[in-house]
């Protein structure tokens, strides 16, 4: 058995604690070596990863490279910056602390747990692991059981290249998660749905374990009239229908200026044809729905509003055509729940204030998209809405910029990662203040008599 037996969970954590105590992971050279090993391991297993994603999601090879194997770019970024990130940073002190120096030391947290989802099942378990390694932690990974082939390949790669006393994989579903969550960790990094996020946080609270919760939600996409039309429709089509819409930051629904709505619908139909041909079921470039349960959930949404593009589906293939729906009510399930599939409702607005009011009446989304060249409109939307992140005149691409922290706000999550933010997430910032012995002013020591005027002066 490659993966760790559930009954061994306690033992694995104990072994990791002992390994962590040796201090080996505190050595930055060790961490860089491990990151290099991880990169080589991914390259070595590229084909197996492509096949696993094909089996789980019918994911086209190109999409697997762009969205899963591309995680090696993040490894390179961490290797490049790690020496600098891990150095203690000087902090300033005020003039009355003139005999002191202050520094912030990043230190690893210890043994961390990373729980992944099924939609980008490789990238979303490996990307946080990069942060955990870079920051000097030991880690236990729990990939999603729903993308079972990817879970297996992750377990295989990790077992082959890492000592389980340093990094281990525990495979399984809710039972495995719960077994892990009963244990004490030094950090839990969870990617998944908001409902399960609450379960994770409640379990973590029992041990006072800090959490990062990368959750989902309904990410709106506003389309104004001041746009490059062709670029807009292509970018929306790509961001919505890549991985058959099963992307946490996919545009969930469109908020379209009334004056451009008809053209936009025609444009979407045209670009869908360009991307996937007349019948997307035959396209090698279009993924499938992960499971029967999710297929049924999505097919139910097709009852809402009026299907104006697509709508065809085949249960045996778990295929749902790229679909656009019009005339939805805000009370319809498709506008109440995160869609997480290839269905795109269109809502029109006359004044941007209506679009902003709608966004603000709902839980804060993970992403917000705005297509407009109007600088004032950009400024207004940025100022008047809150979301995990914003991408202007494109979709989904914000996830690929390591200098931008990635995470939600409110219902879409707690904390963030990518690049330096990943290192910070898995580090404790230890504040260290150092005094010297060359002077010892007595203003703070008892007896206090006569010292109040000096103290008041210092406070002033
Ligand atoms: P999920 O919440 O159902 O499952 C995620 C993980 O939690 C899995 O490993 C699963 O085994 C485990 N789990 C499920 N039920 C559990 C329970 N009761 N107790 C303990 N663990 C449990 O999420 P999913 O269906 O795999 O992924 C879809 C969701 O994830 C969507 O809402 C999507 O928006 C979100 N997501 C967010 C991001 C992000 O970066 N913010 C990325 C991808 C997906």
């Amino acid at each position: 058995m490659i993966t760790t037996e559930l009954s061994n969970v306690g033992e694995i954590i104990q072994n990791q604690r002992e390994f962590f105590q040796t201090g080996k992971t505190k050595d930055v050279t060790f961490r860089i070596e491990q990151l290099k090993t991880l990169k080589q391991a991914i390259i070595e297993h590229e084909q197996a990863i492509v096949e696993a994603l094909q089996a789980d999601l019918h994911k086209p090879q190109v999409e697997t490279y762009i969205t899963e194997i591309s995680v090696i770019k993040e490894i390179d970024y961490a290797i490049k910056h790690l020496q600098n990130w891990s150095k203690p940073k000087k902090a300033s002190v005020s003039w009355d602390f003139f005999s002191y120096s202050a520094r912030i030391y990043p230190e690893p947290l210890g043994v961390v747990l990373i729980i992944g989802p099924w939609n980008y099942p490789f990238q979303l378990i490996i990307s946080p692991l990069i942060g955990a390694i870079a920051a000097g932690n030991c880690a236990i990974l729990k990939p999603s059981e729903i993308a079972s082939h990817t879970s297996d390949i992750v377990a295989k790669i990790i077992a082959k290249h890492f000592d389980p006393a340093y990094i281990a994989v525990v495979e399984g579903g809710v039972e495995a998660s719960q077994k892990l969550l009963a244990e004490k960790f030094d950090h839990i990094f969870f990617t998944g749905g908001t409902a399960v996020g609450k379960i994770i946080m409640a379990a973590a609270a029992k041990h006072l374990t800090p959490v990062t919760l990368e959750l989902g939600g309904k990410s709106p996409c506003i389309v104004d009239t001041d746009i490059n039309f062709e670029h807009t429709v292509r970018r929306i089509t790509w961001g919505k229908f890549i991985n058959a819409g099963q992307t946490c930051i996919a545009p969930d629904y469109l908020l379209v200026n009334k004056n451009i709505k008809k053209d936009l619908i025609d444009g979407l139909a045209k670009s869908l044809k360009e991307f996937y041909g007349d019948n997307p079921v035959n396209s090698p470039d279009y993924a499938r729905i992960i499971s029967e349960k999710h297929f049924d959930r999505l097919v139910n949404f097709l009852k809402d509003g009026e299907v104006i593009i697509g709508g065809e589906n085949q249960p045996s293939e778990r295929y749902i055509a790229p679909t656009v729906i019009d005339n939805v009510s805000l009370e319809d399930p498709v506008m109440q729940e995160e869609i997480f599939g290839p269905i795109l409702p269109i809502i029109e607005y006359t004044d941007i204030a209506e679009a902003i009011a709608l966004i603000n009446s709902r839980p804060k989304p993970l992403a917000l998209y705005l297509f407009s060249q109007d600088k004032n409109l950009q400024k207004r939307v940025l100022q008047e809405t809150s979301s995990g992140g914003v991408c202007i005149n494109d979709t989904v691409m914000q996830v690929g910029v390591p200098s931008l922290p990635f995470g939600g706000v409110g219902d879409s999550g707690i904390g963030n990662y990518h690049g330096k933010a990943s290192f910070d997430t898995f580090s404790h910032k230890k504040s260290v203040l150092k005094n010297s012995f060359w002077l010892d002013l007595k203003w703070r020591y008892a007896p206090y008599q006569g010292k109040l005027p000096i103290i008041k002066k210092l406070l002033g």
Side-chain angles (χ1 to χ4, degrees), residues 115-147:
I115 301 178
W118 53 258
N119 62 331
Y120 291 90
F122 188 76
Q123 194 240 119
L124 292 175
I125 200 92
I126 299 297
S127 175
L129 175 64
I130 296 166
I133 294 175
N137 298 279
C138 297
I140 294 185
L141 314 182
K142 210 298 281 171
S144 171
E145 74 286 9
I146 296 174

Side-chain angles (χ1 to χ4, degrees), residues 115-119 124 142-145 172-174 177-178 181 190-193 196 199-200 214-217 248 294 338 340 366 406:
I115 301 178
W118 53 258
N119 62 331
L124 292 175
K142 210 298 281 171
S144 171
E145 74 286 9
V174 177
S177 262
Q178 288 176 348
L181 290 169
F190 170 79
T191 307
V196 180
I199 296 172
I200 304 291
E214 295 283 338
L215 310 177
C248 58
H294 284 279
E338 178 184 14
F340 217 57
L366 184 56
F406 181 86

